[in-house]
Amino acid sequence: MSGIDLKRITVLVPGKLNDHAARRLERTFDMVPLDRADPQLVTSELTAKVRGIAAFGGINAAFMDALPKLEIVASFGVGYDSVDAAHAGRQGIMVTNTPDVLTEEVADTAMGLLLNTVREFWRAETYLREGRWAKEGPYRLTPGTLRGRKAGIFGMGRIGQAIARRLEAFGMPVAYHNRRLVDGLAYEYHPTLVSLAQSVDTLISVVPGGASTAKAVNAEVLDALGRDGVFINIGRGSTVDEAALAAALREGRIFAAGLDVFADEPHVPQALIDLPNASLLPHVGSASIHTRNAMADLVVDNLIAWFSEAKPITAVPETAHVKAR
Ligand code: NAP
Ligand code: 8YV
């Protein structure tokens, strides 16, 4: 470690903050909270001194441009579609994210959501809590089961592979679609999402958000999945045409869906809430204290590594070339 005094370095924290990260940032840096990432709120004092951002929400190009001394945006979460990383890369600003430390937790959540969706556990528990078991007898036999199903993973990256390992343990064959085949992976590969959807009855989406995946899960993909089809989304809401999904669920063109993520969070379309064959979670994929603390630590450790050694731990590809000024 260099002898640099980190307490002299100003790190801006726009918006709400993870508690564990807040405590460590306050102890380590000159931490300055800001209501939100809005260039209008940037004072001349901030312009002169902010060198880092700990981002718990979106950071756009205009906000970066308002901070001429900015060197690094350390973003909370593996998905960084809300940070304009391409702009940062062009401006020589480092962006980091929090991969790996959340992979197994998110894969666990995906399996829970899949089971909840197919076997209706959330409805069965509500039935018990409402006293209906004693009054009306056993909960209904579920029309859905994982038995005999074949899974397709859209986004066979770190989390996709962790989900695939769990699906194998559940006795389900696995296929996948990425833009590129993953070397050394024995699962069946499909060069298009439609072809993957045609060959499976359970589609699990875990791709990043952004232009290349926007509304990729559309009516054509859902129809290819078919009437027994189950769709699970643990990636990003922007990757789904939500109106097409609600219509396919309502019309029985697919069987059920389990969603942890939505296009306009925290707003969930009423058309999805109204559906009995949808299981909906409020973006809790990584939301345990254990995993969120590990993510928070990685945000802070990236800032420390950058300012003390000019080497971040987990740079995003768009800014991997950026060097310290
Ligand atoms: P990752 O290792 O980078 O995996 C992403 C995978 O998606 C890669 O295999 C990539 O392969 C594929 N992909 C990317 N763009 C694609 C496209 N246009 N078409 C087809 N495939 C594409 O990331 P990860 O760590 O697994 O995380 C994945 C995402 O999960 C995150 O970006 C985030 O949005 C989401 N997430 C959600 C939660 C939650 O709480 N619900 C928590 C964590 C993460 P190719 O590059 O070969 O296409
Ligand atoms: C977090 C996520 O809920 O890592 C991601 O990409 O979506 C989740 O782990 C999110 O980043 C919290 O803001």
Side-chain angles (χ1 to χ4, degrees):
M1 285 274 245
S2 67
I4 193 152
D5 181 2
L6 295 173
K7 268 283 179 195
R8 295 171 68 89
I9 294 175
T10 301
V11 173
L12 190 66
V13 180
K16 65 181 165 47
L17 178 56
N18 169 285
D19 287 346
H20 182 69
R23 283 191 295 271
R24 274 198 71 198
L25 284 169
E26 257 172 346
R27 277 200 307 270
T28 313
F29 292 99
D30 169 35
M31 186 193 95
V32 177
L34 190 70
D35 211 31
R36 57 187 186 279
D38 179 347
Q40 306 283 350
L41 302 181
V42 175
T43 59
S44 52
E45 193 195 344
L46 293 178
T47 306
K49 69 176 186 178
V50 170
R51 292 176 61 192
I53 292 178
F56 296 84
I59 302 292
N60 63 22
F63 194 65
M64 291 182 215
D65 291 347
L67 296 164
K69 299 229 157 105
L70 183 64
E71 296 174 40
I72 177 169
V73 177
S75 184
F76 185 89
V78 64
Y80 55 95
D81 44 304
S82 63
V83 176
D84 193 338
H87 181 76
R90 286 191 295 272
Q91 299 304 312
I93 298 167
M94 173 57 64
V95 176
T96 61
N97 64 345
T98 62
D100 301 316
V101 294
L102 46 52
T103 295
E104 302 299 331
E105 192 82 71
V106 179
D108 290 347
T109 308
M111 294 308 291
L113 182 56
L114 174 61
L115 278 168
N116 231 8
T117 303
V118 173
R119 294 295 318 288
E120 305 176 5
F121 292 138
W122 64 286
R123 286 184 175 275
E125 181 165 350
T126 305
Y127 185 85
L128 177 153
R129 288 178 184 279
E130 289 172 351
R132 294 177 63 190
W133 187 13
K135 277 197 214 122
E136 299 173 39
Y139 184 74
R140 74 169 188 159
L141 304 184
T142 61
T145 177
L146 289 189
R147 297 306 95 213
R149 284 189 171 273
K150 176 177 175 184
I153 296 187
F154 176 32
M156 188 62 97
R158 289 168 293 237
I159 301 170
Q161 289 177 41
I163 295 171
R165 289 194 293 275
R166 284 159 175 75
L167 292 166
E168 278 193 274
F170 275 58
M172 293 171 71
V174 174
Y176 73 101
H177 165 64
N178 275 1
R179 287 166 299 188
R180 286 170 291 275
L181 185 137
V182 181
D183 282 339
L185 214 57
Y187 307 120
E188 178 183 306
Y189 174 71
H190 288 263
T192 68
L193 181 55
V194 170
S195 142
L196 176 69
Q198 269 161 353
S199 91
V200 302
D201 51 27
T202 306
L203 180 66
I204 302 176
S205 181
V206 63
V207 276
S212 78
T213 55
K215 295 195 179 178
V217 178
N218 56 21
E220 186 190 5
V221 170
L222 295 167
D223 285 334
L225 192 58
R227 298 184 71 81
D228 288 333
V230 170
F231 173 63
I232 302 296
N233 192 7
I234 194 86
R236 280 288 180 268
S238 60
T239 65
V240 178
D241 180 340
E242 288 180 334
L245 175 61
L249 286 163
R250 200 169 44 243
E251 293 159 17
R253 290 180 7 252
I254 68 167
F255 175 68
L259 310 172
D260 184 49
V261 285
F262 301 89
D264 182 26
E265 296 175 3
H267 309 290
V268 178
Q270 194 61 39
L272 290 173
I273 292 175
D274 287 343
L275 289 163
N277 50 350
S279 177
L280 310 174
L281 295 178
H283 200 147
V284 292
S286 65
S288 68
I289 293 171
H290 167 91
T291 295
R292 288 288 172 86
N293 282 356
M295 294 161 68
D297 278 332
L298 189 48
V299 169
V300 181
D301 290 342
N302 265 307
L303 289 163
I304 294 172
W306 175 258
F307 287 115
S308 52
E309 296 165 54
K311 279 195 207 116
I313 303 163
T314 48
V316 305
E318 293 88 335
T319 65
H321 63 278
V322 170
K323 300 268 176 274
R325 287 172 201 167

